Amino acid sequence: MNTPIPRVGADHRPDEPAIRIGALVPLSPPGWVEAGRHLLAGLELAVGEVNEAGGTAGRPIELVVRDTAADPGRAAAAVDELAGLGVAALAGEYHSVVARTAAARADAHGLPYLCSSAVLDALTDEPTDRVARLAPAQSHGWRLYADFLLGAGHERIAVVTQPSVYWASGTRILRDHFSAHGGTVTGLDAGALDPAALCDALAADGATALLLLVGFPDPAVPIVKAVRHDERLAGILVGAPAGQPEFADWAASLGDDGAAVPFLRYLPERLGPLGARVAAALRERLGEAPSFVAFEGYDTVVVLADLLRAHGPDRARLAAAWPEVAVEGTRGRIGFSRAPGPGVWQWVWPPVQVVDRDPSAPDRFRVLHSG
C-alpha cells in the first residue's frame, strides 16, 4: 500500500516529482503487528513533518509501504519491487531475520537501506557500504541485559527458546557473557516442553531467572502464566530481553502477571525537546504511549531526509554518505561508524535501558538499568 503524501509546505515546487522511499513494515500476522503499527506511525509522522517544512530541497517525500508479515521471502519480493519502482532508499523492518534478507536484496540492487529496528549482529554476510542501522547490535544490548542480571545476583539462569537465528544468537551472547563471569545458562526447548513440564524442569534446575526467547503471544503468554502460578517458582525472575512487554498487547494478555518482567528498550532516561514533542504527536496518532519502535521509525526518516537534502535521490551518492550523517534525532545525536562485528554502518550507540512494568501500576515503566 502507498501512504498518502501529507500537505507540502510553501517551498514545494509542484513540477518536481516526489522522492520515493520504500518502507518495510510487519502489518499482518505472523508478523508482530503492534510493533509494525508503531514503526509505521513514526515513519509517517516524520514524512509529514518533512513535507510540511518544504520537503527535501523543495521536493516532497513519498513513503511506499510494503507489508512483510515477518516473512523473509515476502520481504525479498518487496525489495525487488521497490527497487524497480525507483525508490531512492529503503527503510524500516522490525524482525531481524526479515531485515537480514532485505539487507541482502537491497545490497544486490545497489539500494541504500537504513534498518530501523532489527538488531541481529550479522545483518549482512559480508561488509557493505549500502546498509546502515539505527538499532543497537544484539550483542551490545543483550550484554547490558546480562550485566543487569549479574548485578542483581542472578548467576544461574535458564532460557526457553524456539528455533530461530535470532534466538540462537541471543542464547550464544548470554551464554558467553555469563560464562565469562562465572555464571551458567541452561537451555529449555519450548517445542519439547509444555508449560507444566517447563515449570518442572525449571524447579529442578535451580535457576533464579527464566528468560523468554520465544514468540508472543504463543508460547510466551502461557509460559508466563504457568510460572507465575507455580508455588515452587515464587522467587524466580521472568525476563524478556527482546522487548515484548513494551507493547500494550502484553499487558492486555497478561495483566498483573506481565508486570516485573525486565526487557530491553532503546530510549534515554529523559527525552529532550525534540523527543518530547514527537512523543506527544505519536501518542495522538497511535492513541496510546509510543514505544521505542515508533521513535526508531521517526529517526529513520530524519536521517534519510538529511541525506536527501545534501545528495538528492542518487543511490550511489546516498550509500557513500552514511559517515557524513550528524543529525539530531529524538533520542540523541545520530552518526554512523563501523562498529566491531556488524558489517554495516551503525549508530554507536543508541541509548539502552532495562525496564519493566511496575507491579503497583502496570501501565507505568520502571528503569532498572541504563547503558
Side-chain angles (χ1 to χ4, degrees), residues 41-70:
L43 291 166
E44 290 183 328
L45 176 64
V47 166
E49 291 184 355
V50 169
N51 287 341
E52 288 283 354
T56 58
R59 295 174 63 178
I61 294 175
E62 179 185 356
L63 204 60
V64 187
V65 180
R66 293 295 179 265
D67 175 16
T68 64

Side-chain angles (χ1 to χ4, degrees), residues 111-207:
L111 183 60
Y113 173 34
L114 180 52
C115 180
S116 302
S117 295
V119 299
L120 191 67
D121 279 49
L123 195 57
T124 57
D125 287 329
E126 301 292 337
T128 174
D129 286 332
R130 297 188 180 96
V131 180
R133 174 167 53 190
L134 281 175
Q138 187 179 18
S139 57
H140 177 72
W142 286 45
R143 284 172 189 152
L144 286 169
Y145 190 90
D147 286 338
F148 157 73
L149 292 174
L150 289 164
H154 298 285
E155 297 181 350
R156 184 177 184 87
I157 70 167
V159 295
V160 55
T161 67
Q162 291 178 295
S164 162
V165 172
Y166 176 67
W167 299 129
S169 172
T171 300
R172 184 171 58 254
I173 292 164
L174 292 167
R175 184 166 280 131
D176 289 349
H177 201 74
F178 269 80
S179 177
H181 291 79
T184 61
V185 176
T186 300
L188 302 172
D189 184 353
L193 300 170
D194 64 19
L198 188 144
C199 288
D200 291 340
L202 196 56
D205 182 78

Side-chain angles (χ1 to χ4, degrees), residues 238-251:
V238 178
Q244 297 97 323
E246 169 84 358
F247 296 96
D249 281 355
W250 173 275

Side-chain angles (χ1 to χ4, degrees), residues 247-302:
F247 296 96
D249 281 355
W250 173 275
S253 299
L254 284 163
D256 291 344
D257 288 339
V261 178
F263 64 93
L264 284 166
R265 72 173 180 182
Y266 309 120
L267 288 174
E269 194 156 355
R270 180 175 287 103
L271 292 168
L274 173 62
R277 179 184 65 75
V278 170
L282 286 168
R283 179 183 287 273
E284 182 177 354
R285 179 178 287 259
L286 289 163
E288 61 187 14
S291 70
F292 68 86
V293 179
F295 290 96
E296 289 174 330
Y298 186 95
D299 286 341
T300 299
V301 173
V302 167

